[in-house]
mmCIF file of all heavy atoms in Angstrom:
data_model
loop_
_atom_site.group_PDB
_atom_site.id
_atom_site.type_symbol
_atom_site.label_atom_id
_atom_site.label_comp_id
_atom_site.label_asym_id
_atom_site.label_seq_id
_atom_site.Cartn_x
_atom_site.Cartn_y
_atom_site.Cartn_z
ATOM 1 N N VAL A 328 28.201 15.562 -6.176
ATOM 2 C CA VAL A 328 27.377 14.773 -7.099
ATOM 3 C C VAL A 328 26.236 15.639 -7.625
ATOM 4 O O VAL A 328 25.917 16.678 -7.048
ATOM 5 C CB VAL A 328 26.790 13.524 -6.396
ATOM 6 C CG1 VAL A 328 27.901 12.561 -6.000
ATOM 7 C CG2 VAL A 328 25.949 13.920 -5.188
ATOM 8 N N GLU A 329 25.622 15.178 -8.711
ATOM 9 C CA GLU A 329 24.504 15.918 -9.297
ATOM 10 C C GLU A 329 23.201 15.171 -9.024
ATOM 11 O O GLU A 329 23.047 14.006 -9.409
ATOM 12 C CB GLU A 329 24.708 16.049 -10.809
ATOM 13 C CG GLU A 329 23.592 16.833 -11.499
ATOM 14 C CD GLU A 329 23.732 16.805 -13.021
ATOM 15 O OE1 GLU A 329 24.748 16.286 -13.515
ATOM 16 O OE2 GLU A 329 22.825 17.293 -13.701
ATOM 17 N N VAL A 330 22.274 15.841 -8.337
ATOM 18 C CA VAL A 330 20.995 15.202 -8.008
ATOM 19 C C VAL A 330 20.152 15.071 -9.275
ATOM 20 O O VAL A 330 19.938 16.045 -9.991
ATOM 21 C CB VAL A 330 20.232 16.034 -6.956
ATOM 22 C CG1 VAL A 330 18.823 15.478 -6.757
ATOM 23 C CG2 VAL A 330 20.998 16.052 -5.640
ATOM 24 N N VAL A 331 19.683 13.849 -9.564
ATOM 25 C CA VAL A 331 18.820 13.651 -10.733
ATOM 26 C C VAL A 331 17.401 13.260 -10.337
ATOM 27 O O VAL A 331 16.515 13.181 -11.185
ATOM 28 C CB VAL A 331 19.402 12.595 -11.699
ATOM 29 C CG1 VAL A 331 20.748 13.061 -12.249
ATOM 30 C CG2 VAL A 331 19.536 11.230 -11.029
ATOM 31 N N GLY A 332 17.179 13.016 -9.030
ATOM 32 C CA GLY A 332 15.826 12.680 -8.607
ATOM 33 C C GLY A 332 15.699 12.671 -7.098
ATOM 34 O O GLY A 332 16.579 12.166 -6.396
ATOM 35 N N TYR A 333 14.620 13.266 -6.597
ATOM 36 C CA TYR A 333 14.318 13.236 -5.169
ATOM 37 C C TYR A 333 12.855 12.830 -5.036
ATOM 38 O O TYR A 333 11.965 13.545 -5.506
ATOM 39 C CB TYR A 333 14.549 14.613 -4.544
ATOM 40 C CG TYR A 333 14.144 14.704 -3.084
ATOM 41 C CD1 TYR A 333 15.024 14.335 -2.068
ATOM 42 C CD2 TYR A 333 12.872 15.143 -2.718
ATOM 43 C CE1 TYR A 333 14.658 14.409 -0.732
ATOM 44 C CE2 TYR A 333 12.496 15.220 -1.384
ATOM 45 C CZ TYR A 333 13.392 14.850 -0.397
ATOM 46 O OH TYR A 333 13.027 14.921 0.926
ATOM 47 N N SER A 334 12.600 11.684 -4.447
ATOM 48 C CA SER A 334 11.232 11.169 -4.355
ATOM 49 C C SER A 334 10.813 11.043 -2.903
ATOM 50 O O SER A 334 11.567 10.538 -2.076
ATOM 51 C CB SER A 334 11.148 9.784 -5.006
ATOM 52 O OG SER A 334 11.590 9.843 -6.340
ATOM 53 N N SER A 335 9.603 11.503 -2.605
ATOM 54 C CA SER A 335 9.064 11.381 -1.251
ATOM 55 C C SER A 335 7.675 10.756 -1.335
ATOM 56 O O SER A 335 7.133 10.586 -2.430
ATOM 57 C CB SER A 335 9.031 12.757 -0.589
ATOM 58 O OG SER A 335 8.168 13.626 -1.292
ATOM 59 N N PRO A 336 7.077 10.392 -0.186
ATOM 60 C CA PRO A 336 5.806 9.651 -0.239
ATOM 61 C C PRO A 336 4.728 10.351 -1.066
ATOM 62 O O PRO A 336 3.969 9.693 -1.771
ATOM 63 C CB PRO A 336 5.394 9.574 1.238
ATOM 64 C CG PRO A 336 6.674 9.624 1.998
ATOM 65 C CD PRO A 336 7.562 10.544 1.205
ATOM 66 N N GLY A 337 4.690 11.683 -1.013
ATOM 67 C CA GLY A 337 3.571 12.370 -1.639
ATOM 68 C C GLY A 337 3.919 13.227 -2.843
ATOM 69 O O GLY A 337 3.062 13.940 -3.348
ATOM 70 N N ASN A 338 5.168 13.169 -3.326
ATOM 71 C CA ASN A 338 5.534 14.090 -4.416
ATOM 72 C C ASN A 338 5.463 13.469 -5.806
ATOM 73 O O ASN A 338 5.932 14.055 -6.780
ATOM 74 C CB ASN A 338 6.916 14.716 -4.169
ATOM 75 C CG ASN A 338 8.062 13.778 -4.534
ATOM 76 O OD1 ASN A 338 7.861 12.592 -4.767
ATOM 77 N ND2 ASN A 338 9.270 14.311 -4.582
ATOM 78 N N GLY A 339 4.879 12.258 -5.898
ATOM 79 C CA GLY A 339 4.713 11.649 -7.210
ATOM 80 C C GLY A 339 5.879 10.781 -7.645
ATOM 81 O O GLY A 339 5.769 10.025 -8.604
ATOM 82 N N GLY A 340 6.988 10.845 -6.934
ATOM 83 C CA GLY A 340 8.151 10.040 -7.309
ATOM 84 C C GLY A 340 8.067 8.617 -6.799
ATOM 85 O O GLY A 340 8.756 7.727 -7.283
ATOM 86 N N THR A 341 7.220 8.411 -5.797
ATOM 87 C CA THR A 341 6.982 7.064 -5.278
ATOM 88 C C THR A 341 5.518 6.701 -5.540
ATOM 89 O O THR A 341 4.730 7.546 -5.960
ATOM 90 C CB THR A 341 7.209 6.987 -3.757
ATOM 91 O OG1 THR A 341 6.183 7.763 -3.109
ATOM 92 C CG2 THR A 341 8.560 7.548 -3.347
ATOM 93 N N SER A 342 5.178 5.460 -5.282
ATOM 94 C CA SER A 342 3.770 5.047 -5.339
ATOM 95 C C SER A 342 3.212 5.044 -3.917
ATOM 96 O O SER A 342 2.651 4.062 -3.465
ATOM 97 C CB SER A 342 3.660 3.661 -5.975
ATOM 98 O OG SER A 342 4.244 3.657 -7.264
ATOM 99 N N PHE A 343 3.388 6.181 -3.215
ATOM 100 C CA PHE A 343 2.980 6.333 -1.818
ATOM 101 C C PHE A 343 3.715 5.384 -0.890
ATOM 102 O O PHE A 343 3.204 5.011 0.165
ATOM 103 C CB PHE A 343 1.464 6.165 -1.648
ATOM 104 C CG PHE A 343 0.662 7.198 -2.370
ATOM 105 C CD1 PHE A 343 -0.243 6.839 -3.350
ATOM 106 C CD2 PHE A 343 0.807 8.539 -2.080
ATOM 107 C CE1 PHE A 343 -0.988 7.795 -4.031
ATOM 108 C CE2 PHE A 343 0.067 9.505 -2.748
ATOM 109 C CZ PHE A 343 -0.835 9.129 -3.717
ATOM 110 N N SER A 344 4.926 4.951 -1.288
ATOM 111 C CA SER A 344 5.728 4.170 -0.358
ATOM 112 C C SER A 344 6.203 5.093 0.756
ATOM 113 O O SER A 344 6.210 6.313 0.612
ATOM 114 C CB SER A 344 6.932 3.543 -1.069
ATOM 115 O OG SER A 344 7.898 4.529 -1.393
ATOM 116 N N ASN A 345 6.585 4.495 1.884
ATOM 117 C CA ASN A 345 7.064 5.270 3.033
ATOM 118 C C ASN A 345 8.579 5.413 2.924
ATOM 119 O O ASN A 345 9.338 4.915 3.752
ATOM 120 C CB ASN A 345 6.662 4.575 4.334
ATOM 121 C CG ASN A 345 6.723 5.514 5.537
ATOM 122 O OD1 ASN A 345 7.384 6.549 5.482
ATOM 123 N ND2 ASN A 345 6.044 5.157 6.607
ATOM 124 N N GLU A 346 9.010 6.090 1.862
ATOM 125 C CA GLU A 346 10.433 6.215 1.578
ATOM 126 C C GLU A 346 10.758 7.619 1.080
ATOM 127 O O GLU A 346 9.928 8.267 0.453
ATOM 128 C CB GLU A 346 10.850 5.245 0.462
ATOM 129 C CG GLU A 346 10.640 3.781 0.777
ATOM 130 C CD GLU A 346 10.905 2.886 -0.431
ATOM 131 O OE1 GLU A 346 10.355 3.158 -1.507
ATOM 132 O OE2 GLU A 346 11.660 1.917 -0.274
ATOM 133 N N VAL A 347 11.983 8.068 1.337
ATOM 134 C CA VAL A 347 12.561 9.170 0.585
ATOM 135 C C VAL A 347 13.755 8.599 -0.156
ATOM 136 O O VAL A 347 14.602 7.914 0.438
ATOM 137 C CB VAL A 347 12.969 10.351 1.487
ATOM 138 C CG1 VAL A 347 13.979 11.253 0.780
ATOM 139 C CG2 VAL A 347 11.741 11.162 1.869
ATOM 140 N N ILE A 348 13.784 8.830 -1.473
ATOM 141 C CA ILE A 348 14.798 8.243 -2.349
ATOM 142 C C ILE A 348 15.558 9.367 -3.047
ATOM 143 O O ILE A 348 14.940 10.255 -3.634
ATOM 144 C CB ILE A 348 14.134 7.358 -3.432
ATOM 145 C CG1 ILE A 348 13.224 6.310 -2.787
ATOM 146 C CG2 ILE A 348 15.191 6.699 -4.321
ATOM 147 C CD1 ILE A 348 12.278 5.621 -3.767
ATOM 148 N N LEU A 349 16.886 9.326 -2.969
ATOM 149 C CA LEU A 349 17.693 10.292 -3.712
ATOM 150 C C LEU A 349 18.497 9.561 -4.773
ATOM 151 O O LEU A 349 19.147 8.550 -4.480
ATOM 152 C CB LEU A 349 18.655 11.037 -2.780
ATOM 153 C CG LEU A 349 19.415 12.178 -3.474
ATOM 154 C CD1 LEU A 349 18.507 13.389 -3.642
ATOM 155 C CD2 LEU A 349 20.670 12.559 -2.710
ATOM 156 N N CYS A 350 18.442 10.056 -6.005
ATOM 157 C CA CYS A 350 19.236 9.495 -7.093
ATOM 158 C C CYS A 350 20.196 10.558 -7.588
ATOM 159 O O CYS A 350 19.812 11.713 -7.734
ATOM 160 C CB CYS A 350 18.326 9.052 -8.242
ATOM 161 S SG CYS A 350 17.233 7.704 -7.774
ATOM 162 N N PHE A 351 21.440 10.156 -7.852
ATOM 163 C CA PHE A 351 22.431 11.144 -8.294
ATOM 164 C C PHE A 351 23.445 10.520 -9.227
ATOM 165 O O PHE A 351 23.715 9.323 -9.190
ATOM 166 C CB PHE A 351 23.129 11.787 -7.091
ATOM 167 C CG PHE A 351 23.518 10.837 -6.000
ATOM 168 C CD1 PHE A 351 24.792 10.286 -5.952
ATOM 169 C CD2 PHE A 351 22.603 10.492 -5.009
ATOM 170 C CE1 PHE A 351 25.157 9.412 -4.933
ATOM 171 C CE2 PHE A 351 22.960 9.613 -3.994
ATOM 172 C CZ PHE A 351 24.235 9.068 -3.955
ATOM 173 N N SER A 352 23.987 11.373 -10.088
ATOM 174 C CA SER A 352 25.013 10.961 -11.040
ATOM 175 C C SER A 352 26.283 11.750 -10.747
ATOM 176 O O SER A 352 26.265 12.701 -9.961
ATOM 177 C CB SER A 352 24.541 11.226 -12.475
ATOM 178 O OG SER A 352 23.474 10.362 -12.806
ATOM 179 N N GLY A 353 27.387 11.343 -11.372
ATOM 180 C CA GLY A 353 28.632 12.072 -11.169
ATOM 181 C C GLY A 353 29.831 11.198 -11.466
ATOM 182 O O GLY A 353 29.706 10.128 -12.075
ATOM 183 N N ASP A 354 30.998 11.663 -11.031
ATOM 184 C CA ASP A 354 32.206 10.853 -11.177
ATOM 185 C C ASP A 354 32.111 9.669 -10.230
ATOM 186 O O ASP A 354 31.575 9.793 -9.126
ATOM 187 C CB ASP A 354 33.439 11.690 -10.833
ATOM 188 C CG ASP A 354 33.657 12.784 -11.870
ATOM 189 O OD1 ASP A 354 33.208 12.606 -13.024
ATOM 190 O OD2 ASP A 354 34.246 13.824 -11.517
ATOM 191 N N SER A 355 32.680 8.542 -10.657
ATOM 192 C CA SER A 355 32.467 7.314 -9.891
ATOM 193 C C SER A 355 32.977 7.426 -8.460
ATOM 194 O O SER A 355 32.336 6.940 -7.525
ATOM 195 C CB SER A 355 33.098 6.120 -10.604
ATOM 196 O OG SER A 355 34.497 6.286 -10.677
ATOM 197 N N GLY A 356 34.123 8.083 -8.268
ATOM 198 C CA GLY A 356 34.664 8.204 -6.916
ATOM 199 C C GLY A 356 33.731 8.995 -6.010
ATOM 200 O O GLY A 356 33.460 8.605 -4.873
ATOM 201 N N ALA A 357 33.218 10.096 -6.538
ATOM 202 C CA ALA A 357 32.337 10.953 -5.746
ATOM 203 C C ALA A 357 31.019 10.246 -5.434
ATOM 204 O O ALA A 357 30.517 10.303 -4.306
ATOM 205 C CB ALA A 357 32.074 12.254 -6.506
#
Side-chain angles (χ1 to χ4, degrees):
Chain A
V328 294
E329 181 187 354
V330 172
V331 297
Y333 175 86
S334 304
S335 63
N338 79 348
T341 68
S342 303
F343 297 120
S344 72
N345 198 341
E346 299 173 309
V347 160
I348 306 166
L349 187 77
C350 295
F351 43 94
S352 292
D354 292 335
S355 64

